[in-house]
Amino acid sequence: MCGIALSVGPEADPAIFRRMLAALVPRGEVTETRSESGLLAGTRRLRVVDRDRAVQPWLSADERWLLCYNGEVFNHHELRAELTALGHRFTSASDTEVVLAAFERWGEEMVTRLRGEYAFAVVERATGRVYLVRDPLGVKPLYWSRTPGCLHVASEVKALVPARAPVTEVPPGHHGWVDGDHRVRLRPYVDLLSLAADLPPVTDPDEAALLVRDTLTDSIRVRLDTDLTVGVVLSGGLDSSLALLHTAQAHPDCVAVTVGAPGSPDLAYARRLAKELGVPHEVVELRPRDIRLADVREAIRISELTEYGDIINAVVSVPIFRRLRELGVKVVLTGDGSDELFGGYPMYHEVGPAASRRLFLHKIRNLCRTELQRVDRTSMGFGVEARVPFLDLALVELAMRLPLDLKMRDGQEKWIVRRAFADLLPDYIRRRPKNPMSYSSGLHERARLYKPLFARLHRSFGYDLLEPVRRDFDSVLTRCGNDLDAAIAAGRTRPDYTMLEHARDLVGAARWNATPMVRRLVTPRRTRGDEAPLPG
């Protein structure tokens, strides 16, 4: 994984380019650049695959093409074998070289062969044409902006702020060319709205459970193809526990990391599972009163997020990846995406099947600017590569074939996932109800105190060049009775919360934060190490 930056055109400014690349320094370990007339290209490379030889920007053997690449292609071994059989000679073991070789061989059709989490730019050096690609779910980010005589491309918004021009996101699953006139022409190569539309639904519970098990297991397997220590972000919930269970079996050189307030359910569940598996467990104990304005400001600076709830979750995520960097861990698995795929949200079950599917598709299409943006920025902000096995395209396609009654049954969300791994999951994990990380860790309400400042802090970093902070779409959707069309219209009519809404929210947060203070004054302190009891 890397941070990439490009300035292409006769007016490419070395001073702006240096500032662009400097903004991406936390994403990697080494800075690698190439400078020529009308082309400034660079990466901040996190050395994961073929650490010594995968130097970027990568040039094709005939020097026609230059590649700046961020991400991982998990089927690069298979692609390498196919390309070798077709006569291509490789000089490294990197997936970087495979990506450019695939482009040389198959052109734009190569995107249909890639399995991974990636975003990259290929430049035709003689003409200055640029080919942009982003993975189907938008796990890895890519943005562009234009100034007179120059196209700028980068992995993060903060890298494009120095250009002082409007910033545009490359949509997930899109690719296309930017010609010499710097007109950007992108089109989808994967349409999530029609994914699996021509495949029959899977209605038999036994068949569905087997498919879910095989597909998720394979997704985790390919993401463990590394000789490095692998971290797992462990909340003690269903999804992260599955990630840890598989990792501990297939890649014993692993470590679990959990964040939570002392005595929180997350810590109790996570500690028990890690101990039973014999996996080293790093616990980041964070008391609500430890969260200060400086922490919120830093989370906004790192994450660039545009919804209030996502920013709050980023505040909780930052300490996890800071600890992983301190441990020297560069590759980590997370459980993100499972709730979206397998019915982890109540709204899916409060409307009819047709409306539920529309909500499902809306969630999936917007992950790139919510959950996935949080995961990418807070991990890469500390030089940690986060991989998301629940969002492998094959698993997303399978989830789209499963009816709602296999996702929610007997009052239990993600029922089919629990059934698929019933023999692997301990009962206390399998039966644990969903509890979002920042809520169960006891930290959400503390960060909420600072919500009225989020928008101003976001603007102070220049991130409104992409878009401003806006109301949480989920809250708008709830107020609209889970009517997607009404919620979208309401979001456009009034993008942000009113001053009165902010005031009410602040009063609620202040009341919650005052309660523990009063409790501490009137009750004895718990001794360190006391655990919240587990059910059963």
Side-chain angles (χ1 to χ4, degrees):
M1 296 267 178
C2 306
I4 66 175
L6 287 158
S7 290
V8 185
E11 299 301 320
D13 186 335
I16 291 177
F17 177 74
R18 284 194 295 271
R19 292 178 63 193
M20 290 171 60
L21 204 50
L24 300 174
V25 162
R27 293 186 71 94
E29 302 161 287
V30 293
T31 299
E32 298 162 344
T33 62
R34 186 176 184 90
S35 176
E36 50 194 71
S37 179
L39 173 59
L40 305 173
T43 65
R44 180 67 177 176
R45 182 163 63 94
L46 184 64
R47 294 178 290 192
V48 174
V49 180
D50 198 352
R51 296 183 280 277
D52 295 327
R53 292 181 294 175
V55 177
Q56 293 194 51
W58 190 276
L59 285 182
S60 60
D62 61 5
E63 300 190 346
R64 177 184 176 185
W65 305 102
L66 175 146
L67 170 67
C68 285
Y69 166 62
N70 170 33
E72 300 288 347
V73 168
F74 300 122
N75 63 334
H76 70 97
H77 298 297
E78 295 87 341
L79 292 173
R80 176 186 299 272
E82 187 175 357
L83 289 163
T84 299
L86 292 170
H88 190 91
R89 299 184 65 181
F90 288 92
T91 61
S92 77
S94 72
D95 58 330
T96 303
E97 185 177 10
V98 170
V99 167
L100 190 53
F103 173 77
E104 289 183 275
R105 181 73 191 191
W106 296 304
E108 298 175 37
E109 293 301 314
M110 57 90 74
V111 294
T112 64
R113 297 172 175 261
L114 303 181
R115 179 188 186 184
E117 304 163 358
Y118 50 82
F120 58 86
V122 179
V123 183
E124 188 175 42
R125 295 169 62 222
T127 65
R129 292 196 308 149
V130 184
Y131 177 59
L132 302 177
V133 181
R134 190 176 182 193
D135 68 67
L137 274 297
V139 179
K140 293 291 103 183
L142 195 61
Y143 302 89
W144 59 269
S145 66
R146 285 183 301 209
T147 54
C150 190
L151 170 77
H152 307 279
V153 178
S155 294
E156 298 187 12
V157 177
K158 59 179 65 69
L160 294 173
V161 169
R164 301 180 183 275
V167 176
T168 303
E169 182 178 17
V170 175
H174 278 62
H175 69 148
W177 288 91
V178 186
D179 293 324
D181 60 2
H182 295 157
R183 289 186 60 188
V184 181
R185 301 174 178 87
L186 302 176
R187 64 189 187 282
Y189 64 91
V190 170
D191 182 5
L192 293 177
L193 294 180
S194 61
L195 194 65
D198 58 344
L199 297 174
V202 181
T203 57
D204 179 75
D206 292 333
E207 180 188 7
L210 181 60
L211 288 171
V212 168
R213 183 171 181 130
D214 287 348
T215 309
L216 179 58
T217 300
D218 185 64
S219 178
I220 295 174
R221 176 189 63 81
V222 299
R223 286 164 174 80
L224 294 176
D225 181 20
T226 179
D227 61 346
L228 298 171
T229 300
V230 173
V232 176
V233 177
L234 179 66
S235 70
L238 174 67
D239 313 314
S240 63
S241 295
L242 280 173
L244 182 62
L245 285 160
H246 282 85
T247 301
Q249 287 182 351
H251 195 92
D253 182 12
C254 64
V255 59
V257 180
T258 305
V259 66
S264 72
D266 279 2
L267 297 192
Y269 280 93
R271 279 183 168 129
R272 180 173 175 180
L273 181 64
K275 182 178 180 180
E276 290 177 359
L277 294 176
V279 172
H281 188 205
E282 289 288 323
V283 175
V284 182
E285 288 197 351
L286 190 63
R287 300 167 299 177
R289 65 180 181 272
D290 292 335
I291 297 176
R292 309 283 184 170
L293 177 59
D295 303 299
V296 173
R297 185 180 188 277
E298 181 67 355
I300 292 173
R301 185 195 68 79
I302 290 171
S303 70
E304 307 173 348
L305 287 159
T306 56
E307 287 194 20
Y308 290 88
D310 294 321
I311 291 171
I312 290 172
N313 287 334
V315 173
V316 180
S317 296
V318 163
I320 295 175
F321 295 107
R322 181 183 291 122
R323 177 63 62 85
L324 284 163
R325 182 184 66 181
E326 293 168 355
L327 295 171
V329 175
K330 293 196 288 187
V331 176
V332 64
L333 266 57
T334 82
D336 293 277
S338 178
D339 289 324
E340 287 76 11
L341 294 186
F342 295 107
Y345 296 112
M347 65 178 183
Y348 289 152
H349 317 290
E350 296 169 357
V351 296
S356 175
R357 180 170 177 81
R358 290 193 66 212
L359 290 173
F360 169 73
L361 292 171
H362 179 87
K363 268 282 188 183
I364 294 298
R365 291 184 69 187
N366 281 276
L367 277 174
C368 63
R369 48 167 295 276
T370 55
E371 288 292 300
L372 290 178
Q373 181 168 323
R374 173 186 59 81
V375 171
D376 173 79
R377 300 301 194 282
T378 55
S379 61
M380 293 301 288
F382 295 95
V384 177
E385 174 187 311
R387 300 175 176 179
V388 283
F390 278 95
L391 292 177
D392 193 278
L393 192 61
L395 193 59
V396 175
E397 182 178 73
L398 174 59
M400 289 184 173
R401 299 174 60 196
L402 302 180
L404 192 61
D405 69 347
L406 289 183
K407 298 179 181 182
M408 167 67 85
R409 182 171 288 193
D410 301 327
Q412 194 168 57
E413 87 287 345
K414 294 182 281 192
W415 179 85
I416 193 62
V417 178
R418 298 173 196 273
R419 173 164 178 169
F421 295 97
D423 63 324
L424 184 63
L425 287 163
D427 274 351
Y428 62 91
I429 296 293
R430 186 167 61 87
R431 299 180 185 278
R432 186 187 181 189
K434 173 179 168 53
N435 203 349
M437 175 182 67
S438 57
Y439 285 91
S440 65
S441 64
L443 306 172
H444 184 279
E445 292 293 337
R446 175 66 180 189
R448 186 175 153 217
L449 275 175
Y450 302 99
K451 275 180 68 176
L453 303 177
F454 287 5
R456 189 178 73 186
L457 290 169
H458 186 270
R459 287 194 300 272
S460 74
F461 296 114
Y463 298 159
D464 52 329
L465 287 170
L466 176 66
E467 60 177 319
V469 171
R470 57 190 179 187
R471 287 190 291 171
D472 295 313
F473 187 78
D474 285 350
S475 68
V476 179
L477 191 62
T478 299
R479 291 178 184 177
C480 293
N482 293 318
D483 183 324
L484 183 59
D485 293 327
I488 291 172
R492 289 172 178 164
T493 302
R494 184 159 57 82
D496 202 352
Y497 294 110
T498 65
M499 291 183 64
L500 179 59
E501 286 173 321
H502 273 306
R504 288 173 178 168
D505 191 57
L506 182 60
V507 168
R511 184 181 296 118
W512 186 94
N513 279 272
T515 300
M517 186 180 302
V518 173
R519 188 181 299 121
R520 285 197 301 272
L521 293 174
V522 299
T523 59
R525 282 190 175 183
R526 298 176 66 179
T527 56
R528 186 173 179 83
D530 286 352
E531 305 295 345
L534 295 182

